[in-house]
Amino acid sequence: MASEEELFASVDALLEEGPQLPSPAERARLREAAGITQARLAVALKTSTQTVKNYENGRSEPKSPRLEAYQRLLKGWAAKYPAHTSSAAPAPVVAPQPEGRETFTGSAAPEQAEVAAPVQAPAAMAAPGRPAHSVTLRRPAVKNAPAVDPRFPHGPLAVLDGDGSAYGAGGIVLDCPAATIPELVEWTLRESGLGAAKLNRYGKDSDPLIVLTAAAAVKLGLPERLEGHEQRRSLRLPEDHPVVKQVTKAKWQLTQRGFGPWARIYRKVQGRERQCVQLAILSWDALDERSWPGVSEMEPADIARVLGVYATRVITPRGSTAVSGLELMTALRPPTKAVRDEETGNWVSGYNAGSLGTEPMDPAPPEATPEHPVVVNSGWKGGFLNEEAYQWVRDVDTLSDEECTLPFAVGLDLNTAFLAAAARLVVGLSAPDHFHAPKFNPTIPGSWLADLSHIELDPRLPSPFTPDGSRPTGPAWYQTHTLAYAQELGHDVHPIEAYLRRETGAYLDPWHDRLKNAYVDTLADMGVTRDLDDRAFLAAMEQHKQNDPALAAVLSAIKATVKGGVGKLRERPQGKSYKEGETWPALARPTWRPDIRAAVISKARVNMHRKLNNMLKMTGLYPLAVLSDCVVYPSPGESPIDFLPYAASGKPQPGAFRLGPTPGLAKLEGVQSMLWAVDLMEKGLNPARHIKGGDAVMDEGE
């Protein structure tokens, strides 16, 4: 038997081991009970928000002296907010709980779970005939969390790491036993509980997305990097690669794009069940840095958070943000719906009113691109629509002495200008019809040939009729909004000919609404809310990206989805082997609609000019340059507040540029000296392109 001296020595050794911390889940519970955010705790501990997240999910532990400080804080919170304990069994609670951590075994979490300490459910809960796999679920507090679809209890996607941990949206972690790609596909469809409900009653559920880290890719037999092709977008595994053979042998199929950074693996639909899994390989550059800044370098759990927020607010990613933007249009306006055949009484597939239908549509020749078969085969020489975003620099000779003596050049950027233009935008749904000498009607979408060269405009403003802001030199093709604006400015419009569409509709309205909500809600989560006054808004915008890099990446992806989706409406042919007059894959899509793209850009440019005009009327100020949705003004101070128009009450004047977080309102893009701006203008360069600093480049998104 141990002596008293030995027992005391053993106990003293334990005491000397240093401070012990509660479990990661308990750390999170105590912080949330105290009403403290992870970011605020990070400031107190003199560390980063990500490090605090790691403390609370068990990825890392603090070291001295931070360890002692953290323990002291947790002890204080534990005294104030003790965990509730009871000898009686806790009452069952349904779906996402604000705190606690649960461990389940089986293909999905049960519908009801007890909120308690981590518990391993009995093996009997596993699906018959399948191995029992641990499924760890974290249930963080989520404000206004969407209801969980019982068919997809674990959300839309997961990020799979090399150790078999699959990190899902909302903090859940699944254990994936797959050792090959076919096994991964089977597990995803049968056991993961991943997927997302359709966005429209006539649409389809979103296929589950599995994102592979470099370690996971290598474990599943894929190369860590994919090399050997002149164009990144065309990279794919060769057909004789062992993984492609595995997929084929298991009777799965790949789309025509093959096994690339975004691979879709499927079997033909049997009955009503879709069998399709989307894969994204991070180390193959699936997430473009321009659209998803910094995401590929994040921890898997944080990648899952970024993609999960995007999937919940926009759509489960199906490729680049441009592809996702286009897919979102179709998901919200499905081309078909079930209709009853009057003769047989059977339900058949029919046209869904307001959609673009299932068949691709040839554009009118002036709406097409020069290489399009419609143009090449007809020998069209009548010119083309030139509805593009502004790229205009004011002539330095028009600058006044008063303007040159102002100290600053201030850039304003319109939030998602193309998205604002898509609101209540009526576009054509049917094929174009040709008309000679039609009477102009501003309510009919289409392309009009008209001569606007006689219209005199102030050279200190860009012309609203051309992308470079120059005065038209003769007859040209214009989209309806451009001619309607000429009429709004008081000029007669007499079209020579036109291609117009009889069936019309606000096709992009649901697309606009969903992306607007995604943009505004994400900004609000970053501390930029609609109720801020202009000074508070500018202050919040200065630091919103630093507050949460993950949400900053979501915001970037949402903006890229808007621009890329609009650009995809007129996707050009790819590859050096293409020859003019040949068709290309994008033309097979009903969503290849250059006329809709032209309508969005025309309306956005007109919106910009209208604001420029109103600014002139209210303030007497002329811009220095415009690039797409960015405009630069001379200013007496470094803030937009120094030159924007305000009423006597202090409220912003409607009609001009206004600050705010919603689409169409403005934010500060950058500030430079007036001398800097004039120097660029004299060199023929656009200050709006560089006002942000560095090599910031903005374009119209195609």
Side-chain angles (χ1 to χ4, degrees):
M1 186 172 178
S3 66
E4 181 179 342
E5 185 177 341
E6 288 173 330
L7 288 171
F8 272 62
S10 179
V11 168
D12 287 344
L14 283 176
L15 290 173
E16 290 172 3
E17 283 187 9
Q20 299 299 307
L21 295 173
S23 69
E26 177 66 3
R27 301 169 200 175
R29 185 195 73 79
L30 291 170
R31 176 185 54 74
E32 290 170 359
I36 302 299
T37 65
Q38 290 177 326
R40 188 173 169 193
L41 177 55
V43 171
L45 293 176
K46 303 288 191 290
T47 187
S48 67
T49 305
Q50 181 59 52
T51 300
V52 171
K53 290 179 182 177
N54 291 343
Y55 294 165
E56 294 185 359
N57 63 27
R59 282 186 166 271
S60 66
E61 295 292 328
K63 295 180 180 179
S64 214
R66 189 172 288 117
L67 172 61
E68 289 78 10
Y70 191 27
Q71 188 202 37
R72 181 179 181 183
L73 178 65
L74 292 174
K75 277 186 175 179
W77 282 343
K80 285 186 177 181
Y81 313 107
H84 296 290
T85 57
S86 172
S87 57
V93 206
V94 179
Q97 299 301 315
E99 52 193 45
R101 173 174 169 159
E102 305 155 69
T103 303
F104 300 108
T105 301
S107 61
E111 290 185 6
Q112 292 184 326
E114 295 181 351
V115 179
V119 176
Q120 184 66 41
M125 288 177 61
R130 297 180 194 151
H133 305 308
S134 169
V135 179
T136 306
L137 293 115
R138 304 191 212 291
R139 299 260 171 113
V142 179
K143 187 179 179 181
N144 299 325
V148 175
D149 189 310
R151 297 171 302 153
F152 311 116
H154 299 152
L157 54 88
V159 180
L160 181 62
D161 208 354
D163 62 358
S165 297
Y167 298 85
I172 69 166
V173 185
L174 312 177
D175 177 28
C176 174
T180 66
I181 291 295
E183 288 178 6
L184 174 61
V185 173
E186 296 278 359
W187 174 83
T188 302
L189 292 174
R190 289 168 174 73
E191 299 188 44
S192 71
L194 297 173
K198 56 194 175 186
L199 299 179
N200 182 285
R201 59 182 295 197
Y202 301 124
K204 300 173 183 176
D205 294 332
S206 285
D207 300 317
L209 167 65
I210 301 292
V211 181
L212 304 181
T213 65
V218 171
K219 177 186 174 183
L220 295 169
L222 297 169
E224 183 173 345
R225 301 290 302 175
L226 198 54
E227 306 290 354
H229 199 283
E230 60 191 17
Q231 288 189 325
R232 295 294 306 167
R233 71 175 66 201
S234 300
L235 289 176
R236 66 190 68 185
L237 290 179
E239 292 185 7
D240 60 354
H241 190 278
V243 170
V244 176
K245 289 183 176 179
Q246 287 176 359
V247 170
T248 305
K249 186 177 180 181
K251 297 189 173 9
W252 290 98
Q253 294 177 263
L254 294 163
T255 61
Q256 291 183 350
R257 284 189 170 272
F259 205 118
W262 290 89
R264 292 181 74 78
I265 301 176
Y266 71 98
R267 284 180 182 147
K268 290 185 178 178
V269 177
Q270 296 179 347
R272 300 181 65 182
E273 291 296 320
R274 283 173 61 82
Q275 297 188 83
C276 184
V277 174
Q278 175 79 63
L279 300 182
I281 296 92
L282 290 174
S283 57
W284 295 4
D285 298 330
L287 298 181
D288 190 312
E289 179 68 18
R290 294 167 297 181
S291 302
W292 303 94
V295 176
S296 293
E297 304 304 317
M298 292 180 179
E299 294 290 333
D302 294 317
I303 297 173
R305 179 186 172 218
V306 170
L307 296 179
V309 172
Y310 179 89
T312 301
R313 293 181 176 175
V314 182
I315 192 172
T316 304
R318 306 182 186 188
S320 67
T321 48
V323 168
S324 297
L326 202 65
E327 290 283 346
L328 181 62
M329 294 180 196
T330 304
L332 293 168
R333 292 276 199 191
T336 61
K337 66 177 181 179
V339 296
R340 187 181 293 276
D341 187 319
E342 294 183 1
E343 293 184 3
T344 65
N346 296 329
W347 289 95
V348 296
S349 179
Y351 172 65
N352 182 26
S355 76
L356 299 183
T358 59
E359 297 300 319
M361 185 182 298
D362 278 340
E367 297 166 348
T369 57
E371 68 272 15
H372 195 285
V374 162
V375 174
V376 175
N377 295 339
S378 68
W380 173 259
K381 302 294 183 184
F384 298 95
L385 273 177
N386 188 24
E387 299 288 11
E388 302 294 342
Y390 267 134
Q391 295 195 45
W392 172 80
V393 181
R394 186 170 150 197
D395 188 333
V396 289
D397 292 338
T398 65
L399 292 174
S400 67
D401 292 341
E402 291 80 7
E403 287 175 313
C404 291
T405 56
L406 290 171
F408 298 106
V410 176
L412 291 176
D413 178 67
L414 296 183
N415 302 320
T416 57
F418 288 173
L419 187 61
R424 299 180 298 281
L425 177 68
V426 176
V427 300
L429 302 178
S430 57
D433 290 321
H434 192 200
F435 298 88
H436 289 282
K439 181 180 179 181
F440 178 66
N441 186 331
T443 66
I444 300 177
S447 303
W448 311 74
L449 180 65
D451 190 348
L452 304 180
S453 60
H454 62 283
I455 298 177
E456 287 282 353
L457 293 172
D458 192 320
R460 292 169 290 184
L461 289 177
S463 166
F465 312 127
T466 60
D468 64 2
S470 62
R471 180 174 175 172
T473 57
W477 289 95
Y478 299 101
Q479 202 276 334
T480 298
H481 282 88
T482 305
L483 280 196
Y485 188 58
Q487 213 174 47
E488 180 184 322
L489 293 175
H491 304 288
D492 288 334
V493 174
H494 301 288
I496 301 165
E497 60 179 304
Y499 286 90
L500 309 176
R501 288 169 166 80
R502 298 178 189 275
E503 294 179 30
T504 64
Y507 172 71
L508 292 175
D509 262 9
W511 186 80
H512 163 270
D513 294 348
R514 187 165 178 84
L515 285 167
K516 175 186 176 181
N517 290 337
Y519 182 83
V520 171
D521 291 349
T522 303
L523 264 181
D525 287 345
M526 299 168 77
V528 186
T529 55
R530 299 191 197 200
D531 58 349
L532 299 176
D533 63 30
D534 283 2
R535 293 188 187 280
F537 168 74
L538 291 172
M541 287 298 293
E542 272 188 27
Q543 58 183 10
H544 75 291
K545 291 184 179 180
Q546 288 73 36
N547 289 345
D548 194 328
L551 285 179
V554 174
L555 194 70
S556 172
I558 292 169
K559 292 188 285 187
T561 301
V562 173
K563 284 193 172 184
V566 172
K568 275 279 185 182
L569 292 168
R570 197 191 67 167
E571 185 177 359
R572 305 291 284 270
Q574 308 293 333
K576 293 180 179 179
S577 60
Y578 176 77
K579 296 179 181 178
E580 283 195 354
E582 293 178 346
T583 188
W584 61 91
L587 300 188
R589 291 192 274 102
T591 48
W592 195 86
R593 290 294 301 273
D595 56 302
I596 296 180
R597 173 187 175 275
V600 172
I601 297 175
S602 167
K603 186 178 174 186
R605 200 181 65 243
V606 163
N607 285 348
M608 172 65 83
H609 193 276
R610 189 180 289 113
K611 286 180 168 59
L612 297 173
N613 228 3
N614 289 337
M615 277 286 290
L616 176 59
K617 294 174 184 176
M618 295 177 191
T619 68
L621 287 176
Y622 292 91
L624 301 177
V626 184
L627 181 71
S628 188
D629 46 15
C630 178
V631 57
V632 178
Y633 273 101
S635 171
E638 296 182 82
S639 170
I641 296 174
D642 295 322
F643 65 89
L644 290 177
Y646 291 87
S649 64
K651 291 185 177 181
Q653 290 280 28
F657 294 104
R658 295 173 57 191
L659 299 174
T662 55
L665 297 188
K667 59 181 179 291
L668 177 64
E669 180 69 9
V671 182
Q672 301 287 347
S673 72
M674 186 65 178
L675 287 175
W676 170 91
V678 173
D679 182 53
L680 285 185
M681 294 165 69
E682 288 177 337
K683 294 175 181 176
L685 301 176
N686 193 323
R689 186 180 297 277
H690 307 283
I691 191 79
K692 196 171 187 176
D695 293 321
V697 175
M698 291 162 288
D699 55 37
E700 48 78 26
E702 188 173 4

